[in-house]
Amino acid sequence: MSASFTEIPLSRPSTPLLDQINDPADLRGLERDQLTQLADELRAYLLYSVGQTGGHFGAGLGVIELTIALHYVFDTPRDKLVWDVGHQTYPHKILTGRREKLLSIRQAGGLSGFPKRSESEYDTFGVGHSSTSLSAALGMKIAANMDGRDDRAIAVIGDGAMTAGMAIEALNHIAHVDLDMLVVLNDNNMSISKNVGGLATYFSKLWSSRAYNLFRESTKRLLKAFPSTGGLVRKTEELMKALVAPGIIFEELGFTYIGPIDGHNTSLLVHTLENLKQVSGPVLLHIATSKGKGFTPAEADPIGYHAINKMEPQRKTEVASADPVSGSLVKAIDKTHSGTTTRPVTLKYQQVFGQWLCDMARQDDRVVAITPAMTEGSGMVEYAERYPDRFHDVAIAEQHAVTLAAGLACEGKKPVVAIYSTFLQRAYDQLIHDVAVQNLDVLFAIDRAGLVGADGATHAGMFDLSYLRCIPNMVVMAPSDENETRQLLFTGFLHPGPAAVRYPRGTGPGVEPKQDMVAVDIGRGVLHRRGSGVALLNFGALLPAVLQAADRLDASVADMRFVKPLDEDLIEELALSHQLLVTVEENVVAGGAGSGVSEYLARHNVVTPVLQLGLPDRFLEHDDHGAQLAAVGLDAAGITDAIRQRLLQLQSQGARHIV
């Protein structure tokens, strides 16, 4: 029986067995009856380490037994273990030589929160987006086959990730190629089947056994030789399996399907995996797990414990989390005192969007909200509860989400697609072909725009201004605070065509959103500060840093609000009255808002020096968001220094002296 915990350890637990594991070879040296103890120690250490650092939580707890079994049975890293998404790989990192380094995870210079090829040979594929493991593992297996190698490819994918079109495409190709490959379907929501029990376990053992698979191969040969006499045998086998397993769809695709089995039974997992090593062709092992397994609060609230913040060292304070309905309060549970206290917090941009969406739906029954599996993260829980008939969580299917919105728009509805910037990249063709080409009335609420701190490069929304502003018919907006976000969402909603509002992760500067919604003139910025010499053109949420820099330089500041169309009148007026224009955006410089300003000036023969400040032409490592901005010169000090350097450069080149 696995150990269960009710609190996160604040001091390092005793883990004598785990301490002996410096790589999977050490793990494979253990006796099988030691694996349950190892799982308990690994769970305790994971709870402790994530409590110290914060990070993804529930998914890793749910795959501890699976991770042990995979590394115990297969010869990693020679055998290629490919994880999907990567939220669940903390146990994998612990067992592959990074146990003590886990205390540095998601911190500057520390371990990545996701698999990363440059970090370890055991991280066979870098990942942050879902549904990539099947395609990547198949590519590795094809390459091994071409080189005459017999190393294996094992892909671990969740039931949510399996909903993506990319995963279905890969399943089809895996079956077509017909190489020896194992797919482990980790079903932690029971969304495919609840059929876990003694009978299912019995038949899973039977189907994974060498004897059964020899019988199965003999049956195939018999049916091929005598098709007219084999119908009864074939039908009997199919009906037997249909009684206890939901895997007929995988069988029809060409997989040997095993399961569902208990994904927290280490002995059963090891036994099954060892049998499956003898099975030829593509195999799908379906396991049932519990997200947050072994930590009682996470088992009760797997969504709330998807990720946690760092524990306070001096007080046994549970992780704070936003209220899932209103999002307006943080609950803090103090274990040293009875009772619960609440305190108000600054609104997150996601809460601003969620409140706006509810207000808009109350006013206009054409509103239909769509999200690809980001209901909680996008702030849509309250809307989903209040307007279930006008809400569609389409699962991890970004391409479908965008074209679904296009179809709704064709019939006079007003779809609002809430999607992370990094995930909209996956639906770029649909954005162009299905929405923009037809000039359909779809509003995109683009969350997590800009850098995202500890989640690193895979989740950063660094490119949306560049890839949106080049699309005809698009209106692209970048609000600078909470109220601007609400008003620009309303503006985009009223615009009769495709429009996008992009906003960052987390809290804003503290500007209270006005309940009254007033549409902004499309393509109209606002002048916040009148100075001399230098004019800063701000695009997005960096406005507080821009204003601080302007105060130091006595510079003008325009909050442009619109990336497309630009406020050309404001740009020209500032260009003609200042010696230097500075564009600031939390997007790559290449092709971004600053590029749009320079293009306008060149097109109209306005000769004014332009300094474009934004994200550099490289992927940025995980760190605190503020530290990331400072590292690339997008904090107040960095902006000020960059401008002063450019002024000195202009002066040395013979430009007019600027006071």
Side-chain angles (χ1 to χ4, degrees):
M1 187 73 175
S2 298
S4 186
F5 300 83
T6 58
E7 293 185 351
I8 296 176
L10 295 181
S11 59
R12 195 191 192 287
S14 174
T15 55
L17 203 56
L18 179 63
D19 293 345
Q20 301 175 33
I21 310 301
N22 295 311
D23 59 46
D26 295 333
L27 169 62
R28 291 188 281 271
L30 297 179
E31 299 295 330
R32 290 195 187 189
D33 59 8
Q34 295 178 290
L35 298 183
T36 298
Q37 177 187 339
L38 178 64
D40 290 343
E41 292 183 10
L42 180 52
R43 185 164 274 113
Y45 183 77
L46 180 62
L47 287 168
Y48 161 73
S49 61
V50 180
Q52 295 294 305
T53 64
H56 292 106
F57 189 73
L61 290 171
V63 296
I64 282 176
E65 290 80 7
L66 173 65
T67 306
I68 291 172
L70 288 169
H71 282 296
Y72 190 78
V73 172
F74 293 99
D75 184 20
T76 55
R78 180 176 179 271
D79 291 334
K80 303 301 187 294
L81 179 56
V82 184
W83 297 92
D84 211 279
V85 185
H87 296 152
Q88 73 271 48
T89 52
Y90 292 18
H92 162 80
K93 289 176 184 270
I94 293 171
L95 294 176
T96 54
R98 291 168 278 181
R99 180 181 62 249
E100 303 307 321
K101 289 183 179 178
L102 202 73
L103 294 172
S104 72
I105 203 162
R106 293 162 57 89
Q107 301 167 38
L111 295 182
S112 168
F114 302 92
K116 189 174 183 180
R117 282 170 53 83
S118 62
E119 187 177 291
S120 169
E121 62 180 335
Y122 293 95
D123 290 0
T124 60
F125 196 71
V127 64
H129 292 186
S130 95
S131 315
T132 62
S133 61
L134 302 183
S135 301
L138 178 59
M140 294 173 189
K141 183 59 184 175
I142 290 173
N145 193 59
M146 292 172 66
D147 293 340
R149 295 184 281 112
D150 64 352
D151 46 284
R152 305 170 190 279
I154 307 102
V156 181
I157 186 169
D159 55 307
M162 191 67 90
T163 63
M166 183 177 180
I168 304 302
E169 292 168 7
L171 284 175
N172 181 63
H173 192 210
I174 290 169
H176 172 74
V177 174
D178 198 30
L179 295 175
D180 297 346
M181 181 172 161
L182 174 62
V183 174
V184 180
L185 174 56
N186 175 26
D187 183 357
N188 62 21
N189 282 318
M190 306 303 293
S191 60
I192 296 177
S193 171
K194 296 184 180 180
N195 196 357
V196 179
L199 189 60
T201 298
Y202 170 77
F203 278 111
S204 294
K205 287 182 178 179
L206 172 65
W207 296 332
S208 66
S209 70
R210 182 174 178 81
Y212 174 78
N213 281 282
L214 284 173
F215 165 75
R216 189 171 183 270
E217 292 300 320
S218 299
T219 300
K220 285 182 177 179
R221 289 193 294 271
L222 180 64
L223 292 174
K224 188 174 182 179
F226 304 101
S228 62
T229 61
L232 179 60
V233 175
R234 181 173 56 210
K235 183 59 68 177
T236 299
E237 180 186 8
E238 290 178 354
L239 288 174
M240 179 184 72
K241 297 188 78 170
L243 285 173
V244 291
I248 297 302
I249 184 173
F250 300 113
E251 290 277 356
E252 292 298 322
L253 278 171
F255 283 78
T256 297
Y257 172 86
I258 308 298
I261 68 171
D262 183 359
H264 298 298
N265 185 328
T266 311
S267 176
L268 175 60
L269 285 169
V270 169
H271 176 85
T272 304
L273 290 170
E274 287 186 334
N275 281 334
L276 292 179
K277 286 174 69 174
Q278 313 305 318
V279 180
S280 61
V283 178
L284 189 139
L285 173 62
H286 180 180
I287 69 170
T289 63
S290 253
K291 195 171 183 180
K293 177 68 174 178
F295 184 60
T296 305
E299 290 187 63
D301 182 15
I303 293 175
Y305 282 89
H306 170 70
I308 67 171
N309 297 321
K310 181 179 178 179
M311 296 285 289
E312 296 179 22
Q314 302 302 321
R315 300 173 61 199
K316 293 184 179 180
T317 305
E318 290 290 353
V319 178
S321 60
D323 182 84
V325 177
S326 69
S328 60
L329 297 175
V330 167
K331 296 180 179 179
I333 304 172
D334 192 335
K335 292 294 183 182
T336 61
H337 300 85
S338 60
T340 300
T341 60
T342 60
R343 59 183 184 274
V345 297
T346 306
L347 282 176
K348 294 182 178 180
Y349 282 100
Q350 293 70 38
Q351 294 166 266
V352 174
F353 167 71
Q355 292 172 2
W356 170 83
L357 187 62
C358 289
D359 293 343
M360 206 68 247
R362 186 173 61 252
Q363 295 181 24
D364 194 326
D365 60 10
R366 298 177 303 147
V367 174
V368 180
I370 302 167
T371 186
M374 288 293 142
T375 303
E376 290 81 16
S378 294
M380 303 174 76
V381 172
E382 182 178 356
Y383 177 90
E385 293 176 349
R386 290 172 59 181
Y387 303 99
D389 295 338
R390 291 192 274 158
F391 173 72
H392 298 277
D393 184 337
V394 301
I396 302 171
E398 293 87 358
Q399 295 172 330
H400 169 63
V402 173
T403 304
L404 173 67
L408 284 161
C410 286
E411 297 301 311
K413 301 304 179 184
K414 183 67 186 193
V416 179
V417 180
I419 190 168
Y420 290 9
S421 172
T422 184
F423 298 144
L424 184 57
Q425 294 164 185
R426 310 184 86 176
Y428 195 54
D429 177 63
Q430 289 70 26
L431 179 62
I432 295 173
H433 181 272
D434 299 336
V435 175
V437 168
Q438 304 182 87
N439 200 25
L440 292 174
D441 195 5
V442 179
L443 175 62
F444 294 90
I446 302 177
D447 197 351
R448 268 65 168 183
L451 301 175
V452 290
D455 280 345
T458 58
H459 286 61
M462 297 171 56
F463 311 107
D464 54 78
L465 294 185
S466 299
Y467 70 67
L468 288 172
R469 61 173 290 265
C470 64
I471 302 175
N473 293 330
M474 287 293 302
V475 171
V476 184
M477 293 166 273
S480 57
D481 60 41
E482 301 91 329
N483 182 57
E484 286 286 317
T485 300
R486 180 175 172 87
Q487 306 308 328
L488 290 180
L489 284 166
F490 182 64
T491 301
F493 182 87
L494 294 184
H495 174 69
V501 180
R502 60 104 69 171
Y503 45 88
R505 178 182 187 175
T507 58
V511 179
E512 183 178 355
K514 297 178 181 178
Q515 285 301 112
D516 292 340
M517 292 183 283
V518 179
V520 175
D521 291 342
I522 298 290
R524 183 58 56 87
V526 58
L527 190 65
H528 273 268
R529 188 185 193 280
R530 175 67 73 175
S532 62
V534 178
L536 288 93
L537 280 58
N538 173 74
F539 295 90
L542 295 177
L543 181 61
V546 169
L547 288 170
Q548 289 180 46
D551 286 342
R552 299 171 185 177
L553 298 165
D554 189 25
S556 298
V557 175
D559 183 18
M560 300 302 292
R561 301 194 290 196
F562 291 87
V563 177
K564 185 178 183 180
L566 290 166
D567 189 337
E568 297 179 349
D569 292 340
L570 182 56
I571 293 171
E572 185 168 349
E573 188 273 319
L574 293 173
L576 295 176
S577 58
H578 294 76
Q579 286 77 39
L580 175 65
L581 292 185
V582 181
T583 63
V584 184
E585 59 192 301
E586 197 172 344
N587 184 85
V588 291
V589 170
S595 296
V597 172
S598 295
E599 291 162 11
Y600 167 77
L601 294 173
R603 190 166 60 247
H604 292 274
N605 297 315
V606 179
V607 180
T608 299
V610 178
L611 171 61
Q612 297 178 23
L613 300 181
L615 301 178
D617 187 25
R618 68 176 188 272
F619 292 103
L620 300 173
E621 297 296 330
H622 52 279
D623 198 350
D624 174 78
H625 181 237
Q628 287 180 319
L629 292 176
V632 296
L634 290 179
D635 60 349
I639 294 169
T640 304
D641 289 345
I643 294 171
R644 284 175 173 160
Q645 289 178 25
R646 177 55 60 88
L647 293 177
L648 289 173
Q649 182 185 51
L650 291 173
Q651 184 177 353
S652 67
Q653 292 172 349
R656 285 179 297 170
H657 178 69
I658 303 172
V659 179

